[in-house]
């Protein structure tokens, strides 16, 4: 009997040690109770939640939540939203407070957040946050956020940390970017109407690992106007493997 109990314990311990990190999509929705006929204010958050390895999962989940909170939270007291349900409620609450002041001008508020595990290897995990918000004005704002994680620890990997030599990659990327968008090598980077700060090429704030290669993605206003839209360029891994620390 003792032998059986010991064997069962060892089997359980072995199984626990060999659990792999996994993600489940969880969805949270909230709609205003204020009567409306169309464009009823609503928020939908669909997010990948890490599971199975507590320390790693907690680190990833906290970072993802923090980023989504930055996108959709408008109240003054950040302690009011400490999970996705309260975060969704706070968005609707912000609308309803605004509606009290401007009852004929605030309908149409909307937030759509969709998170996906864009890439996963034994070296890096990339979660993509596709977000759209509209809180009045001529148009809403849509963009992508890239979150990079160490799968062993769950800690965030900064964009510049993925390169062996960021300066060398940046020089290579600028040549390819100029070629794609037909910007003469002898002209300023903004010569054709782009909006790089200080008229100098920069790597984007969001870089994605994808199954096809490394994607440099410039959200609207980062390198071009809203009307010109986002800019992007994809590099197959075979082309840039010499620049990358993680693959």
């Amino acid at each position: 009997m003792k032998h059986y109990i010991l064997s069962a314990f060892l089997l359980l311990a072995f199984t626990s040690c060999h659990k792999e990190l996994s993600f489940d999509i969880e969805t949270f929705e909230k709609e205003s109770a204020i009567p409306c006929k169309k464009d009823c204010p609503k928020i939908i958050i669909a997010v990948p939640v890490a599971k199975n390895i507590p320390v790693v999962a907690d680190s990833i989940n906290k970072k993802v939540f923090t980023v989504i909170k930055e996108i959709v939270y408008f109240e003054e007291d950040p302690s009011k939203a400490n999970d996705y349900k309260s975060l969704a409620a706070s968005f609707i609450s912000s609308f309803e407070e605004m509606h009290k002041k401007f009852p004929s001008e605030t309908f149409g508020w909307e937030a759509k957040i969709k998170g996906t595990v864009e890439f996963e290897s034994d070296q890096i995990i990339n979660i993509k946050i596709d977000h759209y918000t509209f809180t009045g004005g001529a148009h809403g704002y849509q963009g992508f956020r890239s979150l990079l994680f160490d799968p062993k620890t769950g800690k965030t990997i900064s964009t510049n940390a993925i390169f062996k030599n960021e300066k060398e990659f940046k020089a290579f990327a600028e040549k390819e970017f100029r070629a794609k968008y037909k910007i003469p090598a002898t002209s300023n980077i903004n010569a054709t109407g782009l909006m790089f700060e200080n008229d100098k090429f920069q790597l984007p704030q969001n870089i994605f690992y994808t199954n096809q290669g490394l994607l440099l993605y410039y959200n609207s206003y980062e390198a071009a106007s809203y009307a010109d839209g986002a800019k992007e360029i994809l590099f197959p891994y075979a082309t840039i493997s010499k620049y990358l620390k993680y693959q």
Side-chain angles (χ1 to χ4, degrees):
M1 181 66 178
K2 289 183 179 179
H3 178 73
Y4 173 80
I5 294 173
L6 178 60
S7 297
F9 175 79
L10 291 174
L11 178 61
L12 177 62
F14 179 82
T15 303
S16 300
C17 291
H18 285 76
K19 280 186 177 180
E20 294 184 355
L21 188 70
S22 65
F23 293 87
D24 290 340
I25 298 296
E26 296 186 9
T27 303
F28 306 86
E29 298 184 34
K30 184 74 174 178
E31 189 169 343
S32 175
I34 295 176
C36 64
K37 294 181 180 180
K38 64 177 183 177
D39 297 330
C40 299
K42 186 176 184 179
I43 179 171
I44 301 175
I45 302 172
V47 60
V49 177
K51 298 184 176 181
N52 287 344
I53 307 179
V55 174
V56 177
D58 287 349
S59 180
I60 293 174
N61 292 336
K62 285 178 181 178
K63 179 61 177 180
V64 173
F65 177 78
T66 297
V67 169
I68 293 177
K69 187 173 180 177
E70 290 173 359
I71 296 169
V72 299
Y73 189 74
F74 301 108
E75 296 190 53
E76 293 183 1
D77 184 0
S79 65
K80 286 185 177 180
N82 51 24
D83 58 28
Y84 287 108
K85 286 184 179 180
S86 59
L87 183 58
S90 75
F91 180 83
I92 296 302
S93 176
S94 294
F95 157 74
E96 291 176 346
E97 286 296 318
M98 189 65 67
H99 182 68
K100 291 178 183 177
K101 300 176 183 178
F102 309 100
S104 63
E105 301 176 15
T106 48
F107 279 115
W109 270 43
E110 182 182 13
K112 293 180 180 179
I113 311 293
K114 182 181 179 182
T116 54
V117 179
E118 190 76 354
F119 184 88
E120 189 172 5
S121 73
D122 60 356
Q123 296 184 329
I124 197 163
I125 293 172
N126 192 180
I127 292 179
K128 175 182 179 181
I129 307 296
D130 181 350
H131 60 93
Y132 172 80
T133 53
F134 177 79
T135 55
H139 54 73
Y141 181 76
Q142 190 275 333
F144 297 140
R145 290 285 298 272
S146 175
L147 305 178
L148 303 170
F149 299 98
D150 183 331
K152 298 179 181 65
T153 65
K155 292 182 178 180
T156 302
I157 298 175
S158 62
T159 298
N160 59 353
I162 68 176
F163 301 110
K164 295 176 181 176
N165 188 313
E166 185 181 13
K167 185 177 179 180
E168 288 182 1
F169 177 76
K170 181 179 173 182
F172 168 79
E174 179 173 359
K175 290 180 181 178
E176 297 299 313
F177 186 91
R178 284 176 176 270
K180 177 176 180 178
Y181 289 102
K182 298 179 173 57
I183 305 169
T186 55
S187 300
N188 291 333
I189 192 68
N190 292 336
T192 60
L194 295 180
M195 298 169 54
F196 281 98
E197 188 174 355
N198 299 321
D199 204 16
K200 292 183 179 180
F201 176 82
Q202 299 293 338
L203 295 178
Q205 297 174 15
N206 296 281
I207 296 178
F208 294 91
Y209 279 77
T210 74
N211 292 331
Q212 292 74 40
L214 195 74
L215 177 67
L216 307 191
Y217 190 88
Y218 297 85
N219 283 299
S220 298
Y221 302 117
E222 192 176 350
S225 67
Y226 180 85
D228 287 334
K231 303 297 178 186
E232 62 181 69
I233 184 167
L234 179 70
F235 297 106
Y237 293 118
T239 304
I240 61 169
S241 60
K242 64 180 181 180
Y243 298 112
L244 296 177
K245 287 183 184 177
Y246 306 97
Q247 292 188 56

